[in-house]
């Protein structure tokens, strides 16, 4: 039985349809003091697959509650699918006295599950923080599907670390060149982007990244391209977090369109990762 977290309801339904499994009747509530309550009244299955992105602190607590609730209701096998893993970028103690937050949340999630499935975590190494087996799926190829016909396309990543995503989207699209920018991050919202050597004047460019969070990285990259004469600039991201004023930043930079998946359910979530997850869960 598929058990959806509050912020992954559409994806869980799509995944249930892909797998031909039923969807648990989940209830989400909040007490007057702000505490959350996620429950599965009537849950009656031996195996549960919880699907819950953790883009907020509440989502993490709800995930722990759902894990506990299905165990309490008798599930002997629990799989936890985290389409977007929050805190994954805090994978080091960046300063003395800082926590390794990704490890802290991974340990908590591990206590009540037999297995974890992650979709394009920020770094694959985050899987080592869990105390149970972890499988990682790459859904970047899904981002090619909603793209329109492109003129002499160039697929760019904002830094060398994300070039694999650009290559995966290009391969799925079927044609085009790939390259990457040089990126220096000065703070959480201040990012400096240096153009690549690729000639982008008059061409359609797709900038690909794992996450658009504040939009600082993407908007800087878009501005470099639009100022330099690119024809149209698209952004394709697995996780369209789009926090704070990210949309405004992208619009002001001259973006043509943002394409994302449903690991985080937003209006730009044009394509589902359900088929990729179904393949992994059916293996
Ligand atoms: C960083 O290495 C990631 O791949 C993304 O580029 C980054 O998380 C995006 O964050 P923001 O949208 O806040 O610039």
């Amino acid at each position: 039985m598929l058990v959806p977290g509050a912020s992954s309801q559409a994806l869980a339904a799509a995944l249930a349809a892909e797998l031909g499994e039923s969807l648990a009747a989940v209830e989400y509530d909040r007490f007057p003091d702000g505490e959350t309550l996620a429950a599965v009244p009537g849950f009656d299955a031996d195996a549960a697959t919880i699907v819950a992105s953790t883009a907020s602190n509440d989502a993490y607590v709800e995930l722990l509650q759902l894990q506990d609730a299905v165990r309490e209701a008798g599930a002997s096998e629990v799989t936890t699918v985290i389409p977007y893993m929050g805190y994954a970028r805090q994978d080091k103690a960046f300063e003395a006295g800082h926590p390794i937050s990704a490890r802290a949340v991974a340990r908590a999630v591990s206590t009540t599950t037999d297995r974890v499935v992650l979709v394009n975590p920020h770094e694959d190494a985050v899987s080592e923080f869990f105390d149970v087996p972890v499988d990682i799926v790459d859904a970047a190829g899904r981002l090619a599907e909603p793209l329109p016909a492109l003129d002499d396309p160039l697929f760019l990543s904002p830094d060398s670390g994300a070039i694999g995503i650009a290559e995966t989207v290009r391969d799925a699209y079927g044609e085009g060149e790939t390259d990457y920018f040089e990126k220096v991050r000065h703070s959480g919202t201040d990012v400096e982007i240096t153009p690549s050597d690729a000639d982008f004047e008059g061409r359609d460019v797709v900038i690909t990244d794992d996450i658009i969070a504040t939009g600082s990285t993407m908007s800087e990259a878009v501005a470099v391209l639009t100022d330099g004469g690119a024809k149209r600039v698209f952004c394709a991201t697995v996780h369209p977090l789009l926090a704070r004023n990210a949309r405004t930043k992208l619009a002001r930079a001259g973006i043509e369109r943002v394409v994302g998946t449903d690991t985080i359910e937003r209006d730009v979530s044009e394509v589902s990762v359900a088929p990729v997850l179904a393949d992994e869960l059916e293996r």
Side-chain angles (χ1 to χ4, degrees), residues 120-144:
N120 293 88
H122 181 56
E123 296 283 352
D124 286 2
V126 82
S127 63
E128 291 161 22
F129 292 143
F130 291 85
D131 299 321
V132 293
V134 177
D135 292 295
I136 291 175
V137 303
D138 180 3
R142 301 285 294 140
L143 293 167

Side-chain angles (χ1 to χ4, degrees), residues 42-118:
F43 180 88
D44 182 20
D46 192 44
T49 299
I50 301 169
V51 183
S53 282
T54 50
S56 68
N57 294 344
D58 281 352
Y60 260 117
V61 174
E62 285 175 347
L63 169 56
L64 299 178
Q65 290 175 324
L66 290 174
Q67 289 177 320
D68 203 72
V70 296
R71 284 277 195 227
E72 189 67 17
S76 61
E77 190 188 324
V78 178
T79 296
T80 300
V81 177
I82 308 180
Y84 169 73
M85 180 185 168
Y87 288 89
R89 290 180 292 170
Q90 293 188 44
D91 57 353
K92 296 179 185 64
F94 291 99
E95 291 179 31
H98 280 206
I100 302 177
S101 303
R103 183 180 62 191
V105 293
R107 283 176 174 167
V109 167
S110 299
T111 57
T112 316
T113 193
D114 300 293
R115 174 189 179 197
V116 168
V117 179
L118 303 174

Side-chain angles (χ1 to χ4, degrees), residues 89 122 158-159 162 183 185 188 191 209-218:
R89 290 180 292 170
H122 181 56
D159 54 42
K183 171 170 128 182
R185 182 177 283 284
V191 171
D209 207 353
D210 56 340
I211 308 167
I212 302 178
T214 66
S216 304
T217 302
M218 277 293 186

Side-chain angles (χ1 to χ4, degrees), residues 216-256:
S216 304
T217 302
M218 277 293 186
S219 57
E220 284 295 318
V222 172
V224 165
L225 294 167
T226 51
D227 291 351
K231 187 176 171 191
R232 293 180 298 176
V233 183
F234 299 84
C235 291
T237 184
V238 179
H239 307 299
L241 192 55
L242 296 168
R244 296 185 183 168
N245 57 347
R247 288 159 194 267
T248 305
K249 282 185 187 169
L250 290 167
R252 283 174 54 82
I255 189 72
E256 179 81 15

